[in-house]
Amino acid sequence: SCGERHAAGTDTMGSPAATPQTPLPKAAMAVVFLIQISEALGGFALFPFVVFMLRDLGVSERNLGFYSGLLGASFFIGQVFSSYHWGRLADRYGCRACLVFGGLAASASSAVFGFVPNVTWAVIARVASGLLNGTIGIIKSHVSQITDATNRPTAFSLFPVGFGIGIVSASYLGGALARPADSWPGVFGSAFWETYPYALPLLVCAVYQFLTSLLACVVLRDAPRTAAYDAVGAA
């Protein structure tokens, strides 16, 4: 009968009944979304001004292409070497702790990069930033823990949106706020901003990353570990 079909979890045509979608944890997903933007800011904020920065640091015209590529890639090289170890730390100490620490480290490294005295220190700062900010995998692991099969696809579909907004924001901030002493001499006409003409966009990124870390500390909570999750970690 019709009632028996519904009791068995099928509709009247014999196909499985649709499972209601569990509501997303909105507060946690909002913080995850902000962390995605933070990741992009750390990686891409320098691209609008990297050539000008390298010229100011004394790089010759013939070497601008090489060092621009090196600075751009060094952040992601650091992430390549640290992402696995960040995952191991997340398994031991929880995703929340690693996301908070990674955000604070990203904030500090962004600020430091605005005050580097030469190319060597610029590369070191970028590599260190990537090493301390390899949390992309942790974000995905955390989302998989706080969602279920009904709402997980929706949650993961937000990742490219957040990262895309972060790239756009990084490009705008890097281009609009670099050399503020030239753009807004009435506000940033002091010797400090002339000495460090690329510090402002990086400091803005650092403040954003710091505030995002505070939100993560307040809002995020590690989900209880499941037997299936422990089995994957032991494999």
Side-chain angles (χ1 to χ4, degrees), residues 187-230:
V187 180
F188 299 100
S190 66
F192 176 85
W193 298 111
E194 293 177 358
T195 305
Y196 304 105
Y198 309 104
L200 182 59
L202 295 165
L203 289 174
V204 170
C205 292
V207 170
Y208 175 88
Q209 291 163 331
F210 178 78
L211 294 177
T212 302
S213 299
L214 294 184
L215 279 176
C217 184
V218 173
V219 175
L220 298 185
R221 292 292 181 269
D222 288 318
R225 295 169 67 102
T226 64
Y229 183 85
D230 290 331

Side-chain angles (χ1 to χ4, degrees), residues 86 95-107 132 135 213:
W86 273 110
C95 294
R96 174 177 172 267
C98 290
L99 289 174
V100 172
F101 179 82
L104 295 175
S107 175
L132 296 170
T135 55
S213 299

Side-chain angles (χ1 to χ4, degrees), residues 3 25 35 43-45 81 88 93 108 113 118 121 141 162 183 191 193 199-201 218 227 229-230:
I35 293 174
F44 294 92
F81 285 102
R88 295 293 299 272
Y93 300 107
F113 185 69
N118 52 53
W121 278 108
S141 178
S183 302
W193 298 111
L200 182 59
V218 173
Y229 183 85
D230 290 331

Side-chain angles (χ1 to χ4, degrees), residues 50-51 54-55 58-71 119:
V50 63
V51 172
L54 289 171
R55 282 175 178 162
V59 175
S60 64
E61 292 292 324
R62 65 178 296 180
N63 292 323
L64 279 177
F66 171 78
Y67 283 105
S68 296
L70 179 62
L71 275 184
V119 176

Side-chain angles (χ1 to χ4, degrees), residues 128-200:
S129 181
L131 289 172
L132 296 170
N133 197 21
T135 55
I136 294 177
I138 300 176
I139 298 173
K140 296 179 179 179
S141 178
H142 181 71
V143 169
S144 71
Q145 294 174 23
I146 63 175
T147 57
D148 57 34
T150 65
N151 59 10
R152 192 167 295 130
T154 301
F156 273 83
S157 69
L158 298 175
F159 277 84
V161 178
F163 201 73
I165 291 175
I167 293 175
V168 173
S169 301
S171 300
Y172 177 78
L173 289 175
L177 301 182
R179 295 176 176 267
D182 297 334
S183 302
W184 302 286
V187 180
F188 299 100
S190 66
F192 176 85
W193 298 111
E194 293 177 358
T195 305
Y196 304 105
Y198 309 104
L200 182 59

Side-chain angles (χ1 to χ4, degrees), residues 22-112:
T22 305
L24 286 172
K26 294 181 180 178
M29 287 304 304
V31 173
V32 167
F33 193 81
L34 295 175
I35 293 174
Q36 282 287 101
I37 296 175
S38 177
E39 289 268 356
L41 290 178
F44 294 92
L46 88 160
F47 284 103
F49 59 79
V50 63
V51 172
F52 304 101
M53 183 180 192
L54 289 171
R55 282 175 178 162
D56 290 348
L57 293 176
V59 175
S60 64
E61 292 292 324
R62 65 178 296 180
N63 292 323
L64 279 177
F66 171 78
Y67 283 105
S68 296
L70 179 62
L71 275 184
S74 55
F75 174 87
F76 303 101
I77 291 173
Q79 284 193 322
V80 166
F81 285 102
S82 68
S83 293
Y84 172 78
H85 301 288
W86 273 110
R88 295 293 299 272
L89 289 172
D91 285 340
R92 173 173 292 189
Y93 300 107
C95 294
R96 174 177 172 267
C98 290
L99 289 174
V100 172
F101 179 82
L104 295 175
S107 175
S109 59
S110 293
V112 167

